[in-house]
């Protein structure tokens, strides 16, 4: 019998809730890994929110670089770090072999 997968946090976007379900459905995660997955999904949502605001407002806001450009970059970096920390890249590489 397959263990019950934890439901995605309600505050995540639909896209990240789907990502959560995919990862928790494919892998048995420890509570520590679930916490990393939650933060990873939150960072993806934050990067998306920043990207949407930049697209709406433009790269230059009030004569200056949009302040959310840094938020988007850092959130993307943290999302990718979470993917790495969860070992998902290694899993994908192994699946290709």
């Amino acid at each position: 019998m397959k263990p019950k997968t934890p439901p995605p946090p309600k505050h995540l976007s639909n896209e990240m809730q789907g990502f959560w379900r995919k990862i928790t459905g494919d892998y048995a995660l420890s509570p520590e890994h679930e916490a990393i997955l939650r933060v990873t999904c939150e960072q993806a949502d934050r990067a998306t929110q920043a990207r949407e605001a930049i697209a709406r407002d433009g790269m230059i806001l009030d004569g200056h670089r949009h302040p959310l450009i840094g938020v988007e970059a850092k959130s993307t970096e943290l999302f990718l770090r979470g993917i790495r920390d969860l070992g998902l890249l290694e899993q994908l590489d192994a699946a290709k072999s």
Side-chain angles (χ1 to χ4, degrees), residues 22 26-27 87-97:
K22 172 75 174 132
D26 288 351
Y27 305 100
L88 296 177
L89 295 176
E90 291 84 3
Q91 294 296 325
L92 290 171
D93 288 341
K96 286 182 182 178
S97 301

Side-chain angles (χ1 to χ4, degrees), residues 50 54 57-62 64-72:
I54 294 164
D57 301 339
M59 296 285 282
I60 304 298
L61 187 63
D62 298 327
H64 300 282
R65 183 182 130 179
H66 199 298
L68 292 179
I69 291 172
V71 171
E72 179 188 10

Side-chain angles (χ1 to χ4, degrees), residues 42-95:
E42 290 168 347
Q43 292 307 313
D45 279 344
R46 184 161 294 124
T48 298
Q49 291 165 350
R51 190 168 29 263
E52 289 170 351
I54 294 164
R56 182 183 63 245
D57 301 339
M59 296 285 282
I60 304 298
L61 187 63
D62 298 327
H64 300 282
R65 183 182 130 179
H66 199 298
L68 292 179
I69 291 172
V71 171
E72 179 188 10
K74 188 64 176 182
S75 294
T76 300
E77 176 188 339
L78 293 172
F79 170 77
L80 294 172
R81 184 179 302 166
I83 294 296
R84 185 193 66 221
D85 290 350
L86 289 168
L88 296 177
L89 295 176
E90 291 84 3
Q91 294 296 325
L92 290 171
D93 288 341

